[in-house]
Amino acid sequence: MRDSRILSSFQDLSSTMGALPLSQMPEHRRDVELVYDTCQLGVVLRVVLFVQAIAWVAALYGAQSLVDWLETLAVLTAATLPSVLIWLLVTCGLKRQLARLPMPAQWAAGIGLGAVSAIYGCGMLVWAGLVSPAPWLASAASGALVATVVVAGLVWRLRAKAPAGTTARLAELQARIRPHFLFNTLNSAIALVRAEPAKAEALLEDLSELFRHALADSQEAVPLAQELALAEHYLAIEQVRFGERLRLEWNLDPKAAGAKLPPLILQPLVENAVKHGVEPSPTGATVRITTKRRGGMVVIKVTNTVPAGSGPPGHGLAQDNVRQRLALLHDVEGRFQSALVNGVYQVRLEIPI
């Protein structure tokens, strides 16, 4: 009976690997697609500074002195700042509705809202008695033009995620499906089949789940809980291989489980901890994974002791990969740090909830 369950685990692993070969991985599909996103803090700051820079340059026209420039700049700022903030708030608030529209309609909505926002700013100047007569048409045209440039920049930025995410995903898949890792795992399972069939079954189930997650259809972001589950499967496999040399400590905050991360971003950090902390040391190492919610942020730490010393430096590809993907998803709100302090190597991620 137990042998049949082990065979079933082998079949699950084979079907997982066979159903989704790397050469035939499905492309990322979504029922709806947002082609630009204005809800991130970094986007808001860049758009406001961009529009303000336009106002600074526009104020130079006709200014005869510094005082003239400052007066003109004050008038333009009074019109442009409320307009751009309204545009950002509306496009962010209508994010889900915009995502249901085809791409040309999303462009048209963004440009149209830019024109309407500029008319609002012009109306504020007219109400305050700062301009007369009111340049309604010029304001609408200016707002539409600026919105076109901003939307184009946001579309370009969002599209940059796709190739970066795909490249990163392929790199992580290659690291995860390395022949020596797979062979070591299968050899461990073979050695356990007769002596400890329960452990062999659990090992194959963990390997099956690891490949199932790794070869699943990609997503822009996944919950932290899913990333932790993937790391747990990986560490369970390595636990069989290294035994007491791999000492695990988990300190997880349930309130942090819903935070969003790029897929397959936590597991390579855990893999690095095992590779550089446990593998080179005869006495092994302690790998600790900690999550903590602090207000609107979630802090994730992956640490490992280095009993064998820091050793030769690696290429840093995995960490660079994580840093870039984190920046693409969370922009300036996501932070990545790593350091070796007092014989403990720590990687720290901060992401908004």
Side-chain angles (χ1 to χ4, degrees):
M1 181 67 177
R2 187 174 299 276
D3 290 342
S4 65
R5 289 200 299 268
I6 296 176
L7 178 60
S8 176
S9 297
F10 268 114
Q11 291 173 343
D12 287 344
L13 176 60
S14 299
S15 62
T16 302
M17 296 175 62
L20 291 169
L22 287 176
S23 61
Q24 298 179 6
M25 286 171 53
E27 296 181 357
H28 176 36
R29 296 178 181 176
R30 287 182 291 177
D31 294 333
V32 295
E33 182 180 11
L34 186 68
V35 298
Y36 60 93
D37 185 1
T38 58
C39 292
Q40 297 183 357
L41 178 60
V43 170
V44 173
L45 292 175
R46 292 186 183 97
V47 172
V48 169
L49 289 176
F50 171 68
V51 175
Q52 192 62 34
I54 295 176
W56 291 342
V57 174
L60 292 173
Y61 289 92
Q64 301 298 322
S65 64
L66 178 61
V67 174
D68 288 344
W69 179 74
L70 291 175
E71 289 178 349
T72 306
L73 178 60
V75 172
L76 292 177
T77 301
T80 58
L81 187 57
S83 299
V84 69
L85 291 177
I86 288 174
W87 185 84
L88 289 166
L89 287 172
V90 172
T91 52
C92 178
L94 298 177
K95 179 178 179 179
R96 294 191 178 186
Q97 289 77 6
L98 288 174
R100 298 189 181 99
L101 300 175
M103 182 181 296
Q106 292 189 44
W107 275 81
I111 296 170
L113 287 171
V116 173
S117 300
I119 291 174
Y120 169 81
C122 180
M124 292 290 292
L125 295 182
V126 173
W127 177 77
L130 296 176
V131 294
S132 181
W136 301 110
L137 182 59
S139 297
S142 299
L145 180 60
V146 172
T148 301
V149 175
V150 171
V151 170
L154 295 177
V155 169
W156 175 84
R157 180 182 180 276
L158 197 60
R159 285 181 176 176
K161 289 184 180 182
T166 301
T167 302
R169 185 167 186 266
L170 289 174
E172 295 308 325
L173 285 173
Q174 287 178 345
R176 198 165 298 106
I177 309 174
R178 288 179 308 207
H180 80 267
F181 169 72
L182 181 58
F183 292 154
N184 286 338
T185 303
L186 293 179
N187 285 334
S188 298
I190 292 171
L192 291 171
V193 164
R194 294 188 180 276
E196 298 181 85
K199 284 188 177 181
E201 179 183 358
L203 178 65
L204 292 174
E205 288 175 351
D206 285 323
L207 185 60
S208 177
E209 285 300 316
L210 184 65
F211 273 87
R212 195 186 309 278
H213 281 284
L215 299 177
D217 198 10
S218 61
Q219 302 176 42
E220 181 178 347
V222 297
L224 173 58
Q226 179 175 321
E227 286 292 290
L228 291 171
L230 182 62
E232 186 175 1
H233 287 301
Y234 172 78
L235 289 171
I237 294 172
E238 295 292 49
Q239 186 78 75
V240 174
R241 177 185 173 194
F242 291 106
E244 295 181 355
R245 290 172 59 196
L246 173 56
R247 298 177 290 276
L248 296 174
E249 294 183 8
W250 299 83
N251 186 8
L252 306 180
D253 184 356
K255 297 179 181 179
K260 296 294 186 179
L261 285 171
L264 305 179
I265 200 173
L266 185 59
Q267 192 272 337
L269 300 178
V270 176
E271 185 175 349
N272 269 0
V274 173
K275 180 179 179 181
H276 297 290
V278 181
E279 190 170 350
S281 172
T283 59
T286 299
V287 176
R288 181 180 295 108
I289 300 177
T290 305
T291 64
K292 183 69 175 178
R293 179 170 179 175
R294 296 177 179 174
M297 301 293 292
V298 168
V299 179
I300 305 166
K301 295 181 183 178
V302 179
T303 65
N304 64 274
T305 55
V306 283
S310 59
H315 298 290
L317 297 178
Q319 291 193 10
D320 288 342
N321 185 347
V322 170
R323 185 182 291 106
Q324 292 172 12
R325 297 181 68 201
L326 194 65
L328 281 171
L329 182 62
H330 291 298
D331 203 8
V332 297
E333 295 177 282
R335 300 184 182 93
F336 178 93
Q337 295 175 318
S338 61
L340 176 62
V341 180
N342 298 327
V344 176
Y345 191 83
Q346 174 179 291
V347 176
R348 175 189 175 103
L349 290 79
E350 294 184 30
I351 58 175
I353 192 65

